[in-house]
Amino acid sequence: MTLLSALGVFNYGLVLIYGLILSVAIAGGCRTARQKRIFFALAPLFLLIQTPCWLILGVTTAKQLYPLIVHLPLTLALICVLKKRVGEAIVCTCTAYLCCQLPRWVNIAVTALSGSALAGEICYTLSIVPFLFALLRCFTGAAHDAMSDSLLLFGSLPVAYYLFDYATTIYSDALHAGIYALDEFLPTVLIVFYVAFMTAYHAQSRARMQSEMQNAVLQSALRQSQTEMDALRRAETQTAVYQHDMRHHLNMIDSLLTADKPQQAAEYIHRVRSDIEAVTPRRFCANDTVNLLCSSFVGRAERKGVRLTVEAKLPDTLSLPDNELCSVLSNGLENALHAVEKLDEPNRQISLYCGLRRSRLLISVSNPCEKSLELHGGLPAAQREGHGFGCRSIQAIAHKHGGLCEFRAENGTFTMRFMVPLKEQKDGKATPHN
């Protein structure tokens, strides 16, 4: 056996290990020691099967049997050992085969430039390891993610190339027979793949940008809710200050009455009462956050000529973050106010219920609505551009805690229902599941 033949046999075994490692890496890698042992044993097993084929049947027949003695067992191993779907396993094998063409083209280029087949084989051997490390570092992870996102789009090119290469170069000589249709087939596949890839990439980019924009808006809504809570808590603090100063007010009233100035005393009492009522939150339940928010919205509703009815039966703490509870209530009531403020007087009413039912926190907001109100994807259609994120915020909070959020428009009434499951704390208070 000449040096060139011996080097060719060595490279044939080397590229088998190269392809095996790439197939496993594109599939996501081995997660257990058992999986690593199985695939580590496959390389020498495949070599033992190939060697007799080379020696007994010859190089041409061995290449034709390669899909049966290497690619098929490798695909079955990916399915059975790494628990990959059939399509994923096939794409991993074909993609690794496509990557095997990189050192092959180094061989072809060096042979053509130097005129020495031996120089080409030597460069083939030297290039395999750098190619392997580069692909493992930069390509296999991205290929695995792309395959998970869109198997058909990612796998179409390597599978098409695999079938084309074996059909036109291994099982026949059609590629070199000057058939025009075959000469144009692979470039056409590349163009189709490029067009499909750019279309899918553009759609995914737009979806990602939309998602990022919605996330930014939702985060802004949560921050705004926290700001509103802070303002309400400052009002509550001011109420405490007024209560603390009540002794001084009483002394002032007593002084006015002693000085026989009942009219001024009455005016002073009226001013103090007005100041206290302006900042004192009403109590609807034991939960301070709900009391503050409901007090604020009842006042806003009254100023708009809307009747807001509140039924709240909640404990003092829920362990649902205040900013999220504030976001749900604020967005729900804000949307209801916008919906009814332009309706006729009898329809300008809103009903709010907050309570616990069967270990679940339930918040329900109902209001009259126009019969033309449409729901898209379970969410109210935004009346103006840039609106509609409040409902998405409520829905996102419900999903975050493993709950449900429903929007329904029936018989001229719009209802928002928000429900999250609760668990019991050690102190017996309800906490939402995460």
Side-chain angles (χ1 to χ4, degrees), residues 13 17 28 32 76 117 120 135 141 148 205 218 243 259 267 291 297 307 309 313 346 362 373 395 416 422:
I17 299 173
T32 65
L76 293 176
L135 291 171
S148 301
S205 297
L218 294 180
Q243 291 174 346
E267 292 175 357
N291 290 332
F297 274 95
R307 186 172 73 257
T309 303
K313 300 176 182 178
L362 172 63
L373 179 64
Q395 190 179 63
M416 182 278 289
L422 301 175

Side-chain angles (χ1 to χ4, degrees), residues 177-210:
I179 302 175
Y180 180 75
L182 288 178
D183 292 341
E184 294 297 322
F185 174 77
L186 198 56
T188 303
V189 169
L190 290 174
I191 293 172
V192 171
F193 175 80
Y194 176 77
V195 172
F197 173 79
M198 290 303 298
T199 302
Y201 177 78
H202 178 67
Q204 290 182 358
S205 297
R206 290 191 61 182
R208 187 182 302 110
M209 289 177 61
Q210 183 70 13

Side-chain angles (χ1 to χ4, degrees), residues 295-367:
S295 296
S296 174
F297 274 95
V298 166
R300 289 176 58 182
E302 290 175 350
R303 290 190 293 273
K304 293 177 179 288
V306 176
R307 186 172 73 257
L308 172 56
T309 303
V310 178
E311 182 183 356
K313 300 176 182 178
L314 291 174
D316 55 349
T317 58
L318 290 170
S319 294
L320 181 67
D322 281 347
N323 63 328
E324 293 183 352
L325 179 59
C326 177
S327 182
V328 173
L329 287 172
S330 297
N331 284 312
L333 293 173
E334 186 83 35
N335 292 339
L337 279 175
H338 284 311
V340 302
E341 63 182 354
K342 296 181 180 180
L343 299 180
D344 296 335
E345 184 69 28
N347 293 322
R348 301 175 74 176
Q349 53 186 339
I350 303 170
S351 296
L352 168 65
Y353 173 83
C354 304
L356 301 180
R357 290 187 179 179
R358 296 182 181 180
S359 300
R360 290 175 173 85
L361 168 64
L362 172 63
I363 298 175
S364 176
V365 180
S366 300
N367 60 271

